[in-house]
Every structure is written in structure tokens, then in C-alpha cells.
Amino acid sequence: MNFVEGPLSAGLYLVATPIGAARDITLRALDVLASADVILAEDTRTARKLMEIHGIRAGARPLLAYHDHSGTAVCDRAVDAIKAGKAVACMSEAGTPLVADPGYEVAQAVIAAGLPVMAVPGPSALLAALAVAGLPTDRFYFAGFLPAARARRQTEIAALRDVPGTLVFFESPRRVGEMLADLVQVLGTERQGAICRELTKRFEEVRRGRLGDLADALAGQELRGEVVVVIGRAGAAAPADDDVRSALEEAMRTMRMKDA
């Protein structure tokens, strides 16, 4: 494959990488990875493998591990490189950097230094799950990972109960059953949901239905692979008759009867 070679302008490039199928990477992402002067990777082994699949060699370029425990040293090095006129690519292990993946601190450091930050968009487990869940996508709220402790998890679910949009969570496959039990307890059995597992991979699976049915079906099961849980929005409560009457009387004070 031929890449658009040549120097990139100095800055930080946030490169989205495949969440499963290696061919899902964009042509622009390949161009950036082929031309960047420095590459930050959540997992350097995964990064090298992806680049090798697409015929890109790291060569003598710095390939630095960047994850939640990297501290400030990598951020400082990225800022210094960009100040020196270099292009720095930041790639997560899978998906879009900064979306429940490392990258926030380095992006903040680069922005604070007054240097350019560019998105190289592409795969995202969040958007892929929304697309296949069969639930409304006009409004959604991404809540990331819920707490592992049950009490804190239920508290956070309760805080999200009335959000006027579809809810999206990432979850460990080992905790999906517990999470569903808490969702049922807090949100009820009738809410619609979808369990999206291993999206774009060989054993991709999407289970859709009421939360109560999904919880029953997965009780005692231990799933494998990456999981995204999508929950339908809260149903609008029917207004009380007194509320309707009061609203109508108020409207009729300033409006024609037809408009009221």
C-alpha cells in the first residue's frame, strides 16, 4: 500500500485505531502513522502489530508507551517534540483516544502549551454499539465504566435514571451480570437495552430486549471479550389530570382557545 509520505505539520495527532478488524483503520490514520516523528501508544506491542499488518515500520522513530500510569514525563516529551517542529501521533490500544482511553493528559498539556491538537477520527466502540443497538441515537449519554462496588454502582445508575437520552456504558465481561441485576433493581424490568459484545470481531454478538429478560438470560453466565451496554431512555411520565387542567387554564389567559 502506498502512503502519502512527507512531513506532517507539528502537532499532536489523536489517531483512532480498530476495535477488532484491522482493516477498519482509515487511510488518513495510516498516513499519519507512517509519517509521524514520534508515536505514543497505550500498548506498544499492539501498536507495532497493527503497523506491521499495514506495512508500516516504526524504524528509528520513538515508540513510547503512554497509559494511565505514565505520569508527566511522556507528556513533557510530547510537548517538547512538538515545540521542536515534530508531529506526535497518539494511539489507543483500540478505538478513539480519550474516549475511556488514555490521552487526556497529553492533549491537555499540548493545548496548555498553545500547540495544535488534531483528530484523526475512526473506529469507536461507543458509536458502533449505538449503531447496532436498535435504540434512539438522537440523544445519548456516555457514562464510561460504572464503579465495581455494588453500592456505588447503584448510586450512579440512580443518578442517570432520568437522563433524557440513551445511556451507553463500557463494562468488564465479568461484571455484566451484576450490572444488569443492578440496572433492573434501579431502572425496572421494562427498559429496553442491548448487550453488544466483541463488535467487529469474529464472535460479534448483540442481545436486545427488556432489561429484565436480558438479566435473566445472562444470570450466571460469564461473558468474554469487550462489552458495551446500551440502555433505552426513560419513558415520559403521563401528566396528571390536574396538571393538564392548570396548564390549559394558564394558556387560555393569554392565548386563543384553539392555540391553547
Side-chain angles (χ1 to χ4, degrees):
M1 180 179 293
N2 295 323
F3 302 106
V4 180
E5 298 191 2
L8 294 169
S9 59
L12 177 68
Y13 294 79
L14 301 172
V15 182
T17 57
I19 60 175
R23 291 175 64 85
D24 283 345
I25 196 166
T26 68
L27 295 177
R28 181 173 174 234
L30 294 176
D31 290 340
V32 169
L33 293 177
S35 302
D37 301 299
V38 179
I39 299 175
L40 309 183
E42 181 182 4
D43 187 315
T44 56
R45 293 170 299 179
T46 301
R48 285 186 185 277
K49 181 177 180 180
L50 178 65
M51 293 167 66
E52 288 172 359
I53 288 173
H54 293 288
I56 298 173
R57 294 182 179 180
R61 296 180 293 165
L63 178 57
L64 309 177
Y66 178 71
H67 44 72
D68 291 332
H69 307 292
S70 295
T72 60
V74 178
C75 293
D76 294 341
R77 187 166 176 180
V79 169
D80 290 342
I82 297 169
K83 285 181 176 178
K86 296 183 178 181
V88 178
C90 178
M91 53 194 297
S92 63
E93 183 176 4
T96 300
L98 281 71
V99 180
D101 274 310
Y104 176 76
E105 287 81 5
V106 69
Q108 284 292 95
V110 173
I111 291 169
L115 301 170
V117 176
M118 282 79 71
V120 184
S124 167
L126 162 63
L127 296 179
L130 275 170
V132 300
L135 295 168
T137 59
D138 55 327
R139 290 184 181 182
F140 63 88
Y141 182 90
F142 175 57
F145 287 91
L146 288 171
R150 185 179 184 189
R152 289 184 58 204
R153 184 167 60 232
Q154 290 185 347
T155 298
E156 190 158 330
I157 293 170
L160 298 171
R161 176 169 44 210
D162 298 320
V163 169
T166 297
L167 303 175
V168 187
F169 304 91
F170 289 167
E171 187 53 279
S172 163
R174 297 186 301 275
R175 290 199 298 264
V176 171
E178 297 174 10
M179 176 192 184
L180 282 170
D182 290 336
L183 287 168
V184 167
Q185 182 170 340
V186 178
L187 304 181
T189 61
E190 299 302 313
R191 281 262 197 126
Q192 292 294 309
I195 310 299
C196 308
R197 186 178 69 85
E198 292 289 85
L199 293 175
T200 80
K201 301 177 184 178
R202 180 180 178 185
F203 297 107
E204 177 175 323
E205 177 186 30
V206 181
R207 302 192 188 196
R208 307 175 183 88
R210 301 183 315 143
L211 287 181
D213 294 335
L214 290 171
D216 289 343
L218 292 175
Q221 291 191 31
E222 184 172 319
L223 301 180
R224 294 185 178 182
E226 303 294 327
V227 176
V228 184
V229 179
V230 187
I231 307 299
R233 69 186 58 177
D241 290 343
D242 289 344
D243 294 335
V244 174
R245 185 183 301 277
S246 297
L248 181 58
E249 290 174 350
E250 180 65 28
M252 289 178 65
R253 293 175 184 173
T254 57
M255 300 170 64
R256 298 181 304 166
M257 182 177 294
K258 177 181 177 181
D259 293 333

